[in-house]
């Protein structure tokens, strides 16, 4: 499916379309005042939120 396949059928609500890229890992960052807390999330999932039991975490320094 590509951009040419998008038609008025998606007009009922907000959507986010983005290109799929091959990934190595996800990185999430939490910022509290002047402190930054980055964490690397490794999984074999396209969306790491799909199954939290399949994730492993490591601190990014």
């Amino acid at each position: 499916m590509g951009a040419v396949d998008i038609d008025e059928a998606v007009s009922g609500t907000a959507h986010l379309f983005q290109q799929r890229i091959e990934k190595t890992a996800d990185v999430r960052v939490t910022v509290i005042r002047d402190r930054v807390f980055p964490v690397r999330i490794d999984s074999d999932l396209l969306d790491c939120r799909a199954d939290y039991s399949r994730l492993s975490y490591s601190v990014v320094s």
Side-chain angles (χ1 to χ4, degrees), residues 39-54:
V39 65
R40 176 185 169 130
I41 306 169
D42 289 294
S43 77
D44 59 346
L45 302 168
L46 176 62
D47 183 345
C48 67
R49 300 168 297 175
D51 185 354
Y52 292 105
S53 68
R54 291 172 54 185

Side-chain angles (χ1 to χ4, degrees), residues 7-29:
D7 61 19
E8 66 279 349
V10 300
S11 64
T13 189
H15 297 279
L16 171 66
F17 299 98
Q18 61 190 45
Q19 181 177 353
R20 181 182 292 187
I21 59 170
E22 294 299 319
K23 69 175 189 174
T24 302
D26 292 281
V27 175
R28 298 293 184 263
V29 178

